[in-house]
Amino acid sequence: MSQYHPHTPEETREMLTFLGLNTLDELFGDVPQSVRGSVPKAEHPGLTQMETLREMQALAAENTQYTLTLRGAGCYDHFIPPIVPQLANKKEFLSAYTPYQAELSQGVLQAIFEYQTLICELTGMDASNAGVYDFATAAAEAAMMCRERSRSVALVSQAVHPDTLAVMNTYGFGTDTQVRTVPLKDGRTDPAALREMLREDVASLTIQQPNYFGQLEDVAALFQAAKEAGVKCILAVNPLSLSLLPSGAEVKADIVCGDVQPFGLPMMYGGPHAGFMACTKDMIRRLPGRIAGQTADADGRRAFVLTLQAREQHIRREKASSNICTNHAHSALTASIYLTYMGLQGITAVAESCVSKAHYFAQELCKIKSVNLRYNGEFFHEFVTDLPNPARVEAALHEYGILSGLPLDGGMLWAVTEKASKAQLDRAVKLVREVCEGE
Amino acid sequence: MEIKQGLWYAKTHEWVEFIDDMTAAVGLSDYAQHELGDLVFVNLPQAGDTIAVGKMFADVESVKAVSDIYAPVAGTVSEVNETLLDAPEAINQSPYEAWIAKVEGITARGELMDADAYAAYLDTL
């Protein structure tokens, strides 16, 4: 294969002449000799295109390709219409970086603005930022937005994703914010325990909906208790569920955050995702990260800019409440394309299909002796079953190209999306039955 | 440039109007608002906050900068001017009416200048 040449020898000579130098060594004369010798030289003679392709295909063949994925736990296997990557991979979108120069970045700024608009419509909130990295960073940043001088405790349901809790704790360590977990009762946040914990030093309450175990929380009631104690309410939500469940505005959330991965982003190896954050108008100046705004140019034409930048660390310096400066913009763009293509009707149909198939699968699984639902509450598209020997169930399904639910202590956390067919689910049930009843 | 008589001024350009020995209103001087340019947001303290001389207790945001406001006296914030949340430009328009916070239980004063001394100080800048 040809090698990458940033400059031809002629160009190098021209630039050296312009600088009044004779050799490249003179140009790098200021770099100490001890450092200069350490650049490794490429020893590989290189491969032809054909050889390269063969090697890459052999590597790719080592990936396990599942025909059915029954595992979610924060990353979900939804159908991605081909138009989504087709549009998202337009080279104009792939080359654009942080749009500091509004004049040069109208396309990407408009894309961000439309993403923000979609997030606001979905969550019912007043304002959205351009996105952050993932659910964990979104939830941690949201909790940090709520700190006050006299309120430095962040409450979070024990049923939040463990990775999210870990990142919240990391943020808390750096900012002297105490993160306290609210215990569960029957797989859901315990309202009585919450009431005890709503003291005067509490700044925020974060509830995940549906929660890590797939259960639907009574968010409105939990938030009402928090509001009465002057505590800010953060809804950490799977955005797909918002097509069926009350919006953030309807449960009186101050901030809604989550991950747009269910919207057109493949599972890959767990990333990159894109975290979303939206809030009420009175919290806009605490919202971290980029915000694209709409304005008019000198000729009165619709134009886009980055706005409210005085919130951010390149202006506010050490007093900025957040140091997040970038985001997974391309993932956010991909989600926008998915949402635009699917529309509200489309994602509602997807959500209904997930709910219906997950409930069918749960019902069939529970016909197996020794398999039963661990919690009694309603669920969305994920649920926990008690199960003897989860490791053996995982291995048995793997053999048939099915990724099982996530093994938990004495059970399994299953997720079902619209991609599963009835025949596939029936087959999975049969395999689980063989393991469980064969013992 | 207006320097209102009867007020006290800090080197960091806050004004103080003493209502009595223990209570005062605090704002930004005409010089300060002029230097900052058009203000778009005021981040107010909260009633009940304890403030210390020379420590940041609020900040103001212009289009491209954020500037701290330092407490010219020590005490407890008794009231904040919430009208500034919707109309930060009031500080630009009438800096000596647009008080930011009222402070009670004053325990200490910073190095404050009267109007003439502040005028002389501005001449040195």
Side-chain angles (χ1 to χ4, degrees):
Chain A
M1 277 170 73
S2 66
Q3 289 179 353
Y4 175 62
H5 293 286
H7 312 295
T8 63
E10 291 74 35
E11 286 168 338
T12 305
R13 215 165 24 247
E14 237 176 83
M15 286 189 273
L16 286 172
T17 309
F18 179 82
L19 292 168
L21 300 171
N22 293 315
T23 65
L24 268 179
D25 275 349
E26 282 179 48
L27 178 65
F28 298 119
D30 289 335
V31 179
Q33 202 64 44
S34 58
V35 180
R36 265 200 271 176
S38 66
V39 180
K41 288 216 168 62
E43 306 232 329
H44 199 290
L47 297 173
T48 63
Q49 286 190 23
M50 198 173 70
E51 288 167 334
T52 308
L53 200 58
R54 192 186 298 145
E55 195 154 301
M56 299 308 283
Q57 281 168 341
L59 276 175
E62 288 183 33
N63 283 322
T64 303
Q65 299 271 349
Y66 291 108
T67 53
L68 174 64
T69 298
L70 296 171
R71 188 171 303 186
C75 188
Y76 301 95
D77 185 31
H78 291 289
F79 178 69
I80 300 171
I83 193 173
V84 175
Q86 174 75 27
L87 287 178
N89 289 335
K90 277 171 74 78
K91 66 180 185 295
E92 293 89 336
F93 287 130
L94 291 176
S95 60
Y97 189 55
T98 302
Y100 282 114
Q101 285 173 281
E103 308 88 320
L104 297 176
S105 313
Q106 285 302 297
V108 71
L109 282 166
Q110 178 169 354
I112 295 172
F113 186 80
E114 289 182 9
Y115 160 84
Q116 292 171 179
T117 306
L118 288 162
I119 293 296
C120 286
E121 286 185 358
L122 204 54
T123 58
M125 293 283 105
D126 299 320
S128 159
N129 67 11
V132 290
Y133 305 126
D134 50 23
F135 174 29
T137 41
E141 291 281 348
M144 295 307 120
M145 282 171 70
C146 299
R147 284 174 308 160
E148 301 280 352
R149 260 165 281 223
S150 59
R151 290 175 180 266
S152 60
V153 174
L155 295 185
V156 54
S157 164
Q158 183 74 53
V160 79
H161 194 294
D163 292 352
T164 299
L165 183 58
V167 173
M168 287 179 77
N169 275 317
T170 304
Y171 270 68
F173 173 78
T175 57
D176 279 333
T177 307
Q178 281 188 60
V179 179
R180 293 183 193 150
T181 50
V182 184
L184 310 180
K185 196 177 167 189
D186 192 23
R188 301 198 294 168
T189 312
D190 181 358
L194 171 65
R195 260 184 215 100
E196 300 248 311
M197 297 176 78
L198 287 168
R199 309 219 180 94
E200 280 191 347
D201 56 354
V202 174
S204 63
L205 169 68
T206 303
I207 301 290
Q208 182 177 326
Q209 177 81 320
N211 74 22
Y212 183 62
F213 305 111
Q215 293 278 301
L216 293 177
E217 299 272 4
D218 189 356
V219 179
L222 296 168
F223 280 2
Q224 197 185 334
K227 291 260 145 157
E228 282 163 13
V231 170
K232 293 269 194 304
C233 298
I234 302 167
L235 178 66
V237 69
N238 179 335
L240 178 64
S241 73
L242 287 173
S243 60
L244 301 179
L245 298 175
S247 72
E250 283 166 313
V251 296
K252 307 229 163 27
D254 297 286
I255 305 170
V256 182
C257 64
D259 201 314
V260 296
Q261 187 274 331
F263 295 150
L265 293 169
M267 297 178 90
M268 294 186 276
Y269 293 92
H273 291 189
F276 68 89
M277 298 181 73
C279 66
T280 55
K281 197 175 172 203
D282 57 348
M283 295 199 80
I284 287 178
R285 274 167 204 279
R286 300 187 183 194
L287 194 57
R290 301 273 174 268
I291 299 176
Q294 181 181 303
T295 183
D297 72 3
D299 300 323
R301 292 173 301 189
R302 188 187 193 210
F304 301 91
V305 291
L306 288 178
T307 192
L308 293 171
Q309 290 194 71
R311 300 164 294 116
E312 295 191 72
Q313 66 153 15
H314 63 281
I315 291 181
R316 199 171 277 260
R317 301 286 171 182
E318 76 277 12
K319 288 187 195 70
S321 58
S322 166
N323 291 316
I324 204 157
C325 315
T326 182
N327 66 323
H328 289 165
H330 193 263
S331 298
L333 169 78
T334 306
S336 311
I337 294 169
Y338 175 90
L339 283 171
T340 308
Y341 176 70
M342 299 292 284
L344 182 59
Q345 262 188 317
I347 63 166
T348 306
V350 169
E352 281 170 351
S353 171
C354 292
V355 170
S356 158
K357 287 175 174 173
H359 282 74
Y360 171 74
F361 187 53
Q363 171 199 303
E364 294 303 305
L365 276 179
C366 290
K367 288 178 183 169
I368 302 170
K369 206 175 66 175
S370 71
V371 176
N372 50 275
L373 285 178
R374 181 170 288 183
Y375 306 117
N376 294 306
E378 253 313 329
F379 61 92
F380 182 62
H381 67 345
E382 265 183 308
F383 58 92
V384 178
T385 59
D386 292 320
L387 193 78
N389 210 337
R392 278 196 54 205
V393 169
E394 184 183 34
L397 291 182
H398 177 84
E399 209 173 311
Y400 287 90
I402 301 171
L403 179 63
S404 75
L406 184 71
L408 299 177
D409 190 21
M412 203 158 249
L413 172 60
W414 303 92
V416 185
T417 70
E418 81 281 12
K419 275 177 85 172
S421 71
K422 181 172 179 294
Q424 285 178 312
L425 292 175
D426 288 342
R427 180 179 185 95
V429 170
K430 185 166 164 279
L431 292 166
V432 176
R433 175 175 286 119
E434 280 167 17
V435 173
C436 294
E437 294 183 352
E439 287 188 354
Chain B
M1 187 79 57
E2 190 197 352
I3 301 173
K4 193 177 170 186
Q5 291 291 333
L7 303 184
W8 293 85
Y9 297 86
K11 279 191 172 172
T12 45
H13 310 290
E14 294 83 12
W15 57 256
V16 186
E17 181 177 16
F18 286 100
I19 297 152
D20 58 47
D21 280 353
M22 297 294 279
T23 42
V26 178
L28 279 179
S29 75
D30 193 22
Y31 175 86
Q33 72 77 17
H34 188 261
E35 289 292 306
L36 290 168
D38 288 345
L39 297 181
V40 294
F41 187 67
V42 182
N43 189 13
L44 294 169
Q46 289 178 327
D49 282 356
T50 307
I51 61 173
V53 172
K55 300 282 186 213
M56 190 268 254
F57 80 105
D59 58 66
V60 288
E61 183 181 314
S62 57
V63 178
K64 286 201 169 172
V66 178
S67 308
D68 291 340
I69 307 175
Y70 300 99
V73 294
T76 305
V77 174
S78 60
E79 204 182 331
V80 294
N81 187 357
E82 286 185 1
T83 62
L84 294 178
L85 293 176
D86 290 324
E89 65 276 10
I91 293 178
N92 295 112
Q93 288 156 2
S94 44
Y96 298 109
E97 282 163 36
W99 57 278
I100 291 168
K102 290 187 177 166
V103 185
E104 63 184 11
I106 290 174
T107 52
R109 296 180 181 193
E111 278 180 50
L112 298 176
M113 299 168 272
D114 65 16
D116 293 341
Y118 182 59
Y121 170 68
L122 290 184
D123 283 340
T124 68
L125 297 180

